[in-house]
Amino acid sequence: MTSPSAQDFEALKAALGSGGWTDDPDEIAPWLKEWRNRWSGHTPLMLTPCSTDEVARAVAVCAERRIAVVPQGGDTGLVGGQIPYGEVLLSTRKLRAVRDVTPFDDALTVEAGVTLLEAQQQAAAVDRMFPLSLAAEGSATIGGVISTNAGGTAVLRYGVMRDLVLGIEAVMPDGEIFHGLKRLRKDNTGYDLKQLLIGAEGTLGVVTAATLKLFPVMRSRATAVVGLETPHAAIELLARAKAETGGGVEAFELMKRIGVEFALKHIPDTRELLDSTPPWYVLIELVSGEPGAADAAMERLLTDAFEAGLIIDAAIAQNDAQRAAFWKVREEQSAAQKPEGGGWKHDVSVPVSRIADFLDEATAAVERFHPGARVGAFGHVGDGNLHYDVLCPPGGDLPAFLARWAEGSQVVHDIVAKYDGSISAEHGLGRLKTEEARRYKSPLEIRTMQAVRAAIDPHRIMNPAVLF
């Protein structure tokens, strides 16, 4: 693919008009870095369309002139897939309309630039719930979380973004608009194009709007933090929680003591979760449609768990403020690591039954590979997703430590593969893991993905450095 000419850029500018683009380096700069500061990109032009039609006009010009383009939502991605390196940057943040709210259909249609938090608020306004929740929900956009198939804290009960999308509108790589904003739960008429677009990281088109699945508001919610000696006890506790509630476990989040210590040290307005300081913590949230039922179920669960010796301490949130305090420690786990220096970041999943075994084996392997490295494991243990982060030893040589990221990640990821897991559970592959994924994907999977991409984007103009 050749570099765009000045005439190419003028054609893009003309397609969007004066308010639909910028080449001002100061305006573009904030959108060229990702949150972890691992990637710092560059682009000659940022497109800022305000409507689906404008996105279509811009992409059509890119297709005609073979201009590579990187779509971007809220720039909260953690694997670098939204960062351009010379490609045109296409921001969807101005696509802000709430197009339709239909409570009887339990459906909400919003444009791609609406944030996840705003979608939650729109659902709440009609006494419904949109359940996807993650730490960056105030800035992550619907288009972005669809393109990465985001997960979050409630996957155990409601599923990932792929399970929460009823319909999609998108601009395809040739500039044609896919009008797929349906509110149907059933549509068995062949290949499901929206499912190809979900999790495609902008490689098959630009998501411009989506119809989201809503749920009834739970009338009873109980939140607790418990202390445990081992992750093995956490897995047994999860099984008991599922049996006790019949599907009422909404969140089951694991944290290692070192991560809690980082939060207490670096995050303002955090405090100890329990009177004791156990090696491991689990944050549990139970819900029910019956008032008071979740509280009663939590009491039974914790009483039985104490008697069985599974937990060594516990605290139940008595009000919304205490619940928020519990969740703050969990949600700030990544932010709390940043002042501790760099680390090797891993977003992995293994079968729930193997989580504890994975943690034991991976931690032992990491300690052999780099003595003194600190493992800050935490995450959505209820659905098998762990954020397994390895931090530089205190006072260690950080540049030398970071230089071993690829080797260290292979140590971790080989163990993930041994347990039939995935090296990316919810962040995607992006620039970080695309090449590494070739080690773990079968030739058949790679050929099939390449064939799909070639059929939809034959000139590979959409996010060309990402995926196969």
Side-chain angles (χ1 to χ4, degrees):
M1 190 174 297
T2 60
S3 298
S5 66
Q7 290 78 14
D8 293 329
F9 292 136
E10 290 304 316
L12 276 173
K13 294 174 183 179
L16 293 179
S18 59
W21 58 272
T22 180
D23 55 10
D24 183 338
D26 291 335
E27 290 185 34
I28 297 173
W31 309 106
L32 297 179
K33 291 185 178 181
E34 53 82 47
W35 183 76
R36 290 175 177 161
N37 294 321
R38 179 166 186 180
W39 289 275
S40 181
H42 57 94
T43 183
L45 185 66
M46 182 167 74
L47 308 179
T48 58
C50 294
S51 68
T52 299
D53 286 342
E54 289 188 0
V55 175
R57 291 202 298 271
V59 173
V61 172
C62 291
E64 179 186 357
R65 295 171 177 263
R66 309 290 192 264
I67 303 171
V69 57
V70 172
Q72 186 186 89
D75 192 22
T76 61
L78 297 176
V79 291
Q82 77 279 22
I83 304 299
Y85 278 78
E87 302 95 342
V88 168
L89 180 62
L90 193 157
S91 169
T92 59
R93 286 183 296 277
K94 288 185 178 179
L95 303 178
R96 301 280 302 143
V98 176
R99 295 193 186 175
D100 193 26
V101 186
T102 51
F104 284 124
D105 290 325
D106 287 323
L108 166 67
T109 300
V110 296
E111 291 187 343
V114 171
T115 69
L116 180 53
L117 178 60
E118 290 167 340
Q120 295 166 355
Q121 292 168 339
Q122 288 290 329
V126 294
D127 197 31
R128 295 293 189 275
M129 177 180 67
F130 182 64
L132 191 78
S133 180
L134 42 83
E137 61 194 24
S139 50
T141 63
I142 293 300
V145 295
I146 287 174
S147 295
T148 57
N149 188 30
T153 59
V155 171
L156 174 60
R157 180 173 173 85
Y158 298 103
V160 295
M161 196 65 181
R162 187 178 301 283
D163 303 301
L164 301 174
V165 177
L166 295 172
I168 279 180
E169 174 190 89
V171 174
M172 305 306 287
D174 60 359
E176 187 173 355
I177 301 171
F178 167 56
H179 297 283
L181 289 176
K182 296 183 178 181
R183 300 196 295 269
L184 303 177
R185 262 64 175 180
K186 291 183 175 181
D187 182 1
N188 195 7
T189 54
Y191 301 140
D192 191 343
L193 182 53
K194 77 173 185 295
Q195 291 295 346
L196 281 177
L197 291 162
I198 299 170
E201 301 188 49
T203 61
L204 300 182
V206 182
V207 174
T208 53
T211 300
L212 308 176
K213 189 184 298 184
L214 304 184
F215 294 83
V217 174
M218 293 293 100
R219 302 305 176 188
S220 175
R221 181 177 299 272
T223 307
V225 171
V226 303
L228 315 94
E229 291 287 353
T230 69
H232 296 271
I235 300 309
E236 187 172 342
L237 180 63
L238 173 62
R240 286 173 175 257
K242 290 178 178 178
E244 174 64 43
T245 63
V249 185
E250 187 166 290
F252 199 91
E253 298 286 308
L254 183 71
M255 294 177 284
K256 200 174 181 181
R257 174 62 192 176
I258 192 173
V260 173
E261 290 174 350
F262 291 158
L264 297 174
K265 180 180 178 181
H266 298 299
I267 305 299
D269 301 320
T270 54
R271 59 181 183 270
E272 287 281 6
L273 297 170
L274 299 170
D275 292 335
S276 61
T277 56
W280 293 90
Y281 299 77
V282 168
L283 192 159
I284 309 169
E285 200 146 88
L286 307 181
V287 296
S288 174
E290 180 182 348
D295 301 276
M298 185 70 81
E299 292 281 359
R300 291 192 301 270
L301 173 66
L302 298 187
T303 298
D304 292 346
F306 269 120
E307 292 176 353
L310 285 179
I311 62 178
I312 55 179
D313 201 355
I316 300 175
Q318 300 301 306
N319 49 51
D320 288 343
Q322 192 172 10
R323 175 180 180 267
F326 288 171
W327 273 107
K328 183 171 185 177
V329 173
R330 163 60 189 90
E331 290 175 340
E332 297 289 354
Q333 290 286 294
S334 291
Q337 290 180 4
K338 291 184 78 172
E340 292 291 321
W344 314 330
K345 306 292 186 175
H346 308 99
D347 159 46
V348 302
S349 62
V350 296
V352 173
S353 62
R354 307 310 302 272
I355 284 176
D357 296 330
F358 163 77
L359 283 168
D360 289 345
E361 185 172 346
T363 300
V366 165
E367 289 172 350
R368 289 193 301 270
F369 177 76
H370 199 103
R374 298 170 291 172
V375 174
F378 66 95
H380 323 301
V381 67
D383 58 57
N385 176 195
L386 285 171
H387 301 294
Y388 189 87
D389 300 335
V390 184
L391 304 182
C392 184
D397 185 340
L398 182 58
F401 179 78
L402 293 178
R404 304 193 78 191
W405 186 327
E407 293 176 86
S409 289
Q410 184 173 327
V411 169
V412 174
H413 289 159
D414 281 353
I415 298 171
V416 170
K418 172 184 172 180
Y419 287 110
D420 293 325
S422 170
I423 68 169
S424 179
E426 63 179 357
H427 293 166
L429 294 179
R431 292 179 179 271
L432 176 62
K433 296 180 180 179
T434 288
E435 286 306 310
E436 186 182 10
R438 295 178 183 276
R439 177 180 175 86
Y440 304 102
K441 287 283 190 184
S442 70
L444 173 62
E445 289 177 291
I446 293 173
R447 288 198 309 271
T448 303
M449 291 174 69
Q450 289 172 331
V452 169
R453 184 168 187 168
I456 296 175
D457 181 14
H459 302 294
R460 202 179 176 92
I461 65 166
M462 304 301 302
N463 216 358
V466 173
L467 304 187
F468 307 114

